[in-house]
Amino acid sequence: MLPKRIIYPLAILLMAAACSQGPKDPVDQKVEALLKQMTLDEKLGQMTQICFSEITLTGDKNLDMHPELFREAVLNYHVGSFLSGTGPAQKWVDFVTDMQRIAVEETRLGIPLIIGIDHVHGANYVDEGTMLPHNITLSCSFDTDVIARAAAITAKETADLGMVWNFAPILDVGKNAWWPRLYETYGEDPLVCAKMGAAFVKTYQDPQYADPYRLAACAKHFIGYSDPRSGHDRTPAEIPDQILYEHHLPPFKEAIGAGVMTVMANSGEVNGVPVHVSYKLLNDLLRKELGFDGVLLTDIKDIFKVYDEHRGAFSEKDATLRAIEASVDMSMACNAFTFIYLMKELIDEGKITEERIDQSVRRILRLKFDLGLFDNPYPRSDRLHRLNSDEHVAEARKLAEESIVLLKNENDLLPLHTSGKRILVTGFAAHSKKMLNGAWTLEWLGAEEERQPENMRTVYQAISKEFPDARVSLFETAADGSITSEGTFRNAVNQNDIIVLTLGEEPYSEFRGNISDLNMPPQQKRLAELAGAAGKQVIFVLVQGRPRLITNIEKHADAILFAGYPGQGGADAIAGILSGRVNPAGRLSFSYPRYPGNVIPYYHKEFSKPQNLYEFGHGLSYTRFTYTNLRVNNTTFTTPKQEISLSFDVSNTGQREGDEVVLAFFRQERGHITRPVRQLFYFDKIHLPAGEKQTIEIRINPMEVFAYPDENNQLILEEGEFTMMVGEMEQVLTYHK
């Protein structure tokens, strides 16, 4: 049996806490008692996070420890946090156990380590983990319960392995379609991002899924990361304060209200200032206005990058000083201990006080106590059967089924009737698990095909299973969709009745996904043209992280599905929608542009005039829903908090049961700051049997719904008219003081 803690440091800690005349909160007492015993070096070590690649035998993320390097990091540099590994579950348990044993038993104070991981679509850095759909796919469900279910699986499969700090969820608003991390967001709408982010935080940090462990979520990347002017990762953003507050702030505000324990700063710069050193954004906005007092973490090597890449500081020491002044608590230094040396120099020079250091260390120790690491530092291997369990695999499929969007269904081609027919499955993702799981799957850019989960099917395999009465064949292409012979492809197409063509993007992450053209790759467009020219029934399945343009080839498809990166159950979900076993209910959480030069979110201003191929909220079903009888309790309100009741009926007028995404928008007709043509204020998903009706009632507080922030983040609620929009119905409300 492993000791939970050595007795001597714990006894000192408890005795000191008992004698403390300071804070009355028991955890605060323990923190203060421990803080008083720490040397400066030990404090600076707690503020430092190092990558596994610095302490492994091979210098990568694989879980083979180099004991001397690890001991140097923990015993000499007193490092308190590590991140980023990949491997089998039992190896994770063994690796973290060895790490914690040394930290707990061989260091002077026995402070346990906190291990961080990017589990952004399930336990995606564990070989046996269940690979869930990425966020852009999940967000198309418009269902916070879907997010909560995904978070619960992630928590259950992560907690026992010792990775108690998860760098998720991404709360950046995905309003820039070029940005290579769009697929990690919950789409382009601030309200959807806020509600889904809060659902993840609440569920992931809920003790019931990890007990006896506790888990910390991390809201990232504060703030403005997702809308760089060029669209490329980590490049400058120019965002007026009013837009920053109205569009980018709500998800972080909601996550803090939900109790998120940690926040990661934006790697980019906003309005000329790298965010990691922005006193205005980190100290004034995050700490003071939003009241966040948890741990604020840098992204990887980003204090150094302020100097080296942004050129926003005169030296690395200057960047370090400014980051600490901006209230950063922990540096994700990764593979260097320079941060510790520079901090000591700054303290010696009197530029940083030890009181300021104590402020950050206090937060870090508090986090470790709140997570129960002092009582329960070691992982366990008796519940590894929870990973990739039948229940979780089935849930992964259901999550994809509830999220994939049917964009087009000409002449009701779908559901398919395939008895005796021949189906050709082709394109870059036709017979690939890697393409469905995307990046952040065992490796940063997605692991090689042979490392992908054994118990998942490719699109070709899933369709073969789903349609036993059809003759299903495969025409494989290269990973980029290219083929060696057009003639051979034509022959394959001509020999079949139905062509299922997968189109989209190979897995990419961060700067490796930078592009300057949203058009579908030319070799893939050519496949669509060849398939369309044959006069067959053609179905596009879009496997991609952002809306690659299909304007010139959309006419060749009779039906189109947007799958995003649908994860381990994605192929079965796609096949189920094609067969009709699943009635599609996903709706686009982003606008799908028609032209590369006209990419604008749905909440644009009147003069913008976007031309989209598919609008935000678009999605088809195999049944039909109608909206009727919009009514309000009062069309005029006279005070900012006067409750307004809005109701309407939703009916399933089709022939089968189905789920409907209910979206309610409003438009402020005039404003001193120009207002968008529409803005979402309510969303939900309901289930209706055929022929049934449900009345939806929404209660509105005008100050919470209609007010918007000015450039000083002061809410404005102006007199005038507000048009409510549900389905095809509208109702005007008037505000008179």
Side-chain angles (χ1 to χ4, degrees):
M1 293 289 291
L2 291 169
K4 287 191 175 180
R5 284 281 284 105
I6 57 175
I7 297 174
Y8 179 67
L10 183 59
I12 292 176
L13 180 60
L14 294 177
M15 286 166 44
C19 297
S20 172
Q21 300 300 312
K24 294 182 180 180
D25 181 87
V27 174
D28 285 344
Q29 289 183 7
K30 293 176 183 179
V31 168
E32 294 304 319
L34 185 54
L35 192 62
K36 288 177 181 177
Q37 299 175 69
M38 296 176 70
T39 66
L40 177 60
D41 287 342
E42 288 168 336
K43 294 174 182 178
L44 295 178
Q46 290 297 313
M47 296 177 66
T48 306
Q49 188 176 65
I50 294 295
C51 290
F52 279 13
S53 57
E54 184 66 17
I55 58 166
T56 58
L57 290 171
T58 53
D60 55 26
K61 295 192 295 185
N62 292 327
L63 305 174
D64 296 302
M65 185 188 293
H66 192 304
E68 289 78 13
L69 292 178
F70 178 69
R71 277 189 163 85
E72 180 183 20
V74 173
L75 301 180
N76 295 345
Y77 289 101
H78 312 285
V79 170
S81 182
F82 291 84
L83 80 152
S84 193
T86 183
Q90 185 60 57
K91 201 168 185 180
W92 267 107
V93 171
D94 295 340
F95 189 83
V96 176
T97 297
D98 290 342
M99 296 176 75
Q100 293 288 25
R101 183 189 291 114
I102 293 170
V104 168
E105 298 183 12
E106 297 186 26
T107 63
R108 186 176 73 91
L109 296 174
I111 301 174
L113 304 170
I114 184 168
I115 309 299
I117 196 71
D118 287 285
H119 275 176
V120 295
H121 70 116
N124 49 264
Y125 276 117
V126 184
D127 285 5
E128 301 90 337
T130 307
M131 304 302 162
L132 304 178
H134 279 274
N135 285 346
I136 197 64
T137 300
L138 293 177
S139 67
C140 291
S141 71
F142 282 89
D143 189 348
T144 55
D145 181 62
V146 162
I147 306 304
R149 286 152 53 198
I153 292 174
T154 307
K156 290 176 183 178
E157 296 196 1
T158 301
D160 292 352
L161 309 185
M163 300 168 275
V164 298
W165 191 1
N166 188 8
F167 304 134
I170 276 193
L171 297 181
D172 304 295
V173 176
K175 59 186 294 187
N176 188 327
W178 281 277
W179 190 53
R181 304 191 72 170
L182 182 76
Y183 66 91
E184 298 181 61
T185 76
Y186 294 119
E188 73 181 31
D189 181 76
L191 177 66
V192 174
C193 291
K195 297 301 181 184
M196 291 190 168
F200 184 96
V201 168
K202 288 178 182 176
T203 305
Y204 191 78
Q205 294 187 170
D206 189 330
Q208 69 171 305
Y209 300 111
D211 192 67
Y213 302 105
R214 299 293 182 267
L215 300 175
C218 181
K220 65 182 188 184
H221 309 80
F222 192 86
I223 185 174
Y225 181 36
S226 58
D227 196 16
R229 188 173 180 84
S230 70
H232 288 186
D233 186 47
R234 288 176 166 83
T235 56
E238 298 172 7
I239 306 174
D241 284 349
Q242 188 271 328
I243 296 297
L244 191 81
Y245 298 139
E246 184 170 0
H247 297 169
H248 297 273
L249 190 62
F252 292 97
K253 183 177 181 179
E254 192 91 7
I256 291 168
V260 72
M261 292 183 174
T262 69
V263 169
M264 183 184 291
N266 168 13
S267 297
E269 60 182 74
V270 174
N271 301 333
V273 181
V275 175
H276 276 70
V277 295
S278 174
Y279 190 91
K280 172 184 176 181
L281 295 179
L282 298 184
N283 189 78
D284 291 349
L285 180 56
L286 178 63
R287 296 292 194 192
K288 292 182 179 179
E289 287 195 46
L290 297 185
F292 177 70
D293 196 36
V295 173
L296 174 59
L297 171 75
T298 76
D299 207 337
I300 192 164
K301 305 179 185 179
D302 270 336
I303 291 179
F304 173 68
K305 290 176 183 177
V306 169
Y307 162 69
D308 184 59
E309 295 183 7
H310 294 281
R311 302 193 177 204
F314 292 99
S315 65
E316 189 176 354
K317 183 192 289 188
D318 178 38
T320 303
L321 172 63
R322 291 173 60 202
I324 296 301
E325 289 176 337
S327 83
V328 164
D329 295 313
M330 185 182 292
S331 171
M332 190 185 286
C334 189
N335 57 5
F337 301 98
T338 312
F339 173 76
I340 294 174
Y341 293 124
L342 294 176
M343 288 290 287
K344 291 177 75 172
E345 289 179 16
L346 289 165
I347 292 169
D348 289 343
E349 294 167 5
K351 294 179 180 178
I352 295 177
T353 65
E354 193 161 352
E355 287 75 19
R356 170 63 188 89
I357 302 304
D358 287 350
Q359 188 180 43
S360 287
V361 178
R362 192 174 282 117
R363 293 188 184 114
I364 294 165
L365 293 177
R366 173 87 202 201
L367 176 64
K368 291 185 175 185
F369 274 110
D370 285 344
L371 293 174
L373 283 168
F374 285 89
D375 298 318
N376 215 359
Y378 296 109
R380 59 193 288 180
S381 57
D382 61 324
R383 296 193 300 194
L384 298 186
H385 60 274
R386 301 203 298 183
L387 281 91
N388 214 237
S389 65
D390 291 345
E391 177 189 356
H392 288 180
V393 172
E395 189 73 305
R397 186 196 74 244
K398 292 176 185 176
L399 294 174
E401 289 173 352
E402 295 173 45
S403 303
I404 291 173
V405 186
L406 177 59
L407 297 176
K408 181 180 180 181
N409 191 20
E410 201 165 89
N411 299 318
D412 293 327
L413 170 63
L414 303 181
L416 288 173
H417 304 285
T418 61
S419 181
K421 291 192 176 181
R422 297 163 297 177
I423 302 175
L424 179 68
V425 185
T426 187
F428 84 115
H431 197 38
S432 170
K433 299 175 181 179
K434 175 179 179 177
M435 302 305 177
L436 298 178
N437 285 328
W440 304 100
T441 303
L442 303 177
E443 299 292 345
W444 179 51
L445 294 175
E448 56 272 23
E449 199 70 32
E450 54 269 24
R451 286 190 64 195
Q452 299 290 327
E454 291 183 7
N455 60 336
M456 71 174 286
R457 278 179 276 270
T458 65
V459 175
Y460 164 64
Q461 292 168 336
I463 289 176
S464 298
K465 180 178 182 295
E466 191 78 26
F467 296 101
D469 59 347
R471 287 178 285 173
V472 181
S473 60
L474 171 69
F475 189 99
E476 293 195 75
T477 74
D480 63 358
S482 60
I483 55 178
T484 55
S485 168
E486 287 193 3
T488 305
F489 183 76
R490 283 195 190 94
N491 289 337
V493 169
N494 288 329
Q495 291 171 16
N496 287 273
D497 305 301
I498 300 167
I499 314 302
V500 178
L501 175 59
T502 60
L503 301 170
E505 304 177 295
E506 299 177 65
Y508 56 88
S509 187
E510 301 182 42
F511 61 90
R512 294 291 290 272
N514 288 343
I515 58 174
S516 298
D517 186 357
L518 278 177
N519 279 295
M520 193 67 72
Q523 59 270 31
Q524 297 196 46
K525 291 172 66 176
R526 183 57 179 158
L527 293 181
E529 292 166 353
L530 292 171
K536 306 293 182 175
Q537 293 178 318
V538 179
I539 302 166
F540 291 171
V541 178
L542 305 180
V543 180
Q544 55 190 16
R546 54 196 158 193
R548 300 302 295 264
L549 302 188
I550 57 172
T551 306
N552 294 330
I553 58 173
E554 185 264 351
K555 62 187 177 184
H556 298 305
D558 299 283
I560 302 175
L561 295 181
F562 172 79
Y565 293 118
Q568 186 167 338
D572 292 315
I574 291 165
I577 291 173
L578 296 182
S579 73
R581 173 175 55 81
V582 176
N583 189 355
R587 304 292 183 264
L588 284 181
S589 62
F590 56 92
S591 304
Y592 207 113
R594 183 181 297 271
Y595 304 115
N598 193 267
V599 182
I600 304 169
Y602 83 88
Y603 43 88
H604 59 87
K605 303 298 179 67
E606 184 66 36
F607 272 102
S608 297
K609 309 295 184 187
Q611 296 174 302
N612 291 317
L613 188 63
Y614 301 110
E615 298 294 338
F616 172 87
H618 172 77
L620 305 176
S621 170
Y622 296 150
T623 189
R624 178 178 174 80
F625 298 95
T626 58
Y627 290 72
T628 57
N629 200 20
L630 176 63
R631 50 204 182 274
V632 295
N633 64 339
N634 199 330
T635 58
T636 302
F637 59 100
T638 57
T639 63
K641 295 184 179 181
Q642 179 180 332
E643 185 179 86
I644 298 170
S645 177
L646 175 78
S647 63
F648 51 91
D649 299 328
V650 182
S651 302
N652 182 345
T653 56
Q655 301 301 309
R656 61 180 291 180
E657 65 180 349
D659 293 336
E660 170 67 346
V661 171
V662 178
L663 304 176
F665 301 87
F666 80 92
R667 176 177 62 248
Q668 181 175 340
E669 296 297 342
R670 298 287 187 276
H672 285 98
I673 297 174
T674 58
R675 309 310 302 137
V677 294
R678 59 178 180 148
Q679 188 171 343
L680 188 72
F681 72 90
Y682 173 88
F683 67 92
D684 195 11
K685 178 178 280 187
I686 62 173
H687 181 81
L688 280 177
E692 292 203 4
K693 177 177 69 174
Q694 182 173 333
T695 298
I696 306 295
E697 183 174 1
I698 308 171
R699 297 184 182 279
I700 299 171
N701 179 322
M703 196 65 190
E704 293 176 358
V705 173
F706 299 142
Y708 64 89
D710 64 13
E711 66 277 6
N712 297 312
N713 204 19
Q714 299 300 308
L715 287 179
I716 302 171
L717 179 60
E718 297 171 303
E719 291 185 281
E721 294 183 339
F722 300 85
T723 301
M724 317 304 289
M725 297 171 278
V726 181
E728 300 298 320
M729 302 179 294
E730 294 187 357
Q731 173 65 57
V732 177
L733 306 181
T734 304
Y735 175 39
H736 287 306
K737 294 180 182 178

